[in-house]
Amino acid sequence: MNAFISVVGRASRFFGMLAAFMIGLSVMVVCHLVFVRYVLRSPTAWQTELVTYLLVGATLVGSPYVLMIRGHVGVDLLPLYLSDGARRRLALGCALAGIIFCGVLLWSGLELWYEAWAGDWLSETVWAVPLWIPYASLPLGFGLMLLQYIADVLALLTGHAGAQR
């Protein structure tokens, strides 16, 4: 069980770093877009679409890392007034709700990705990106988030709740 928690933690860290790289790349592409469009007075075709895909992908694949370090916005008022046992049950219930939510979105994302791949969908822009590529961030991100929630549940059940932070 500890091995699973450790592997999921390493995967979450890796994809967190990948998300940071994607955000940095987005910033560089926007700088390129501004320079080409306003200094060189040349039209741009691919930059806006790439930045959109990169930022959405970074959000999805980076979310498990944010969950692991407890970086999501949360309201701690109720847990502060609960006993340790009630606080643990609340955390378990929230994690189980997250597992269900991520499972549904993983399934829907897989269906959408497969339809885009099998149907050879292309974006309706000049760049005509095969949409299975950006759509892959949906099942990947929600699959990783699902694994992170499962690792959180296992950590709670085994008493290693702070092991991943």
Side-chain angles (χ1 to χ4, degrees):
M1 224 178 296
N2 286 338
F4 176 78
I5 294 170
S6 177
V7 167
V8 170
R10 283 195 298 274
S12 292
R13 278 185 205 84
F14 171 78
F15 283 101
M17 288 188 298
L18 179 63
F21 173 77
M22 292 166 75
I23 291 169
L25 183 60
S26 295
V27 169
M28 289 189 288
V29 170
V30 167
C31 291
H32 176 267
L33 177 144
V34 169
F35 180 76
V36 168
R37 185 180 289 173
Y38 296 108
V39 175
L40 300 180
R41 303 271 191 229
S42 179
T44 58
W46 56 271
Q47 290 94 335
T48 303
E49 191 172 7
L50 177 63
V51 167
T52 302
Y53 294 146
L54 284 172
L55 290 177
V56 169
T59 301
L60 291 169
V61 301
S63 292
Y65 175 74
V66 176
L67 174 64
M68 183 182 74
I69 64 167
R70 304 293 182 257
H72 291 107
V73 174
V75 179
D76 292 338
L77 183 63
L78 181 62
L80 288 175
Y81 291 105
L82 295 175
S83 67
D84 287 340
R87 190 176 308 130
R88 191 168 155 209
R89 285 190 299 277
L90 178 64
L92 205 56
C94 290
L96 292 174
I99 286 172
I100 293 167
F101 179 77
C102 289
V104 169
L105 290 175
L106 169 62
W107 182 258
S108 298
L110 277 170
E111 285 182 336
L112 182 64
W113 172 83
Y114 180 75
E115 286 179 24
W117 179 72
D120 201 27
W121 294 358
L122 301 174
S123 65
E124 295 180 4
T125 61
V126 176
W127 200 24
V129 174
L131 287 174
W132 68 267
I133 297 169
Y135 286 2
S137 64
L138 284 164
L140 179 63
F142 284 110
L144 291 166
M145 187 79 120
L146 178 71
L147 290 175
Q148 186 60 55
Y149 270 120
I150 292 170
D152 284 356
V153 167
L154 292 174
L156 278 169
L157 293 175
T158 59
H160 296 92
Q164 294 191 55
R165 291 183 208 144

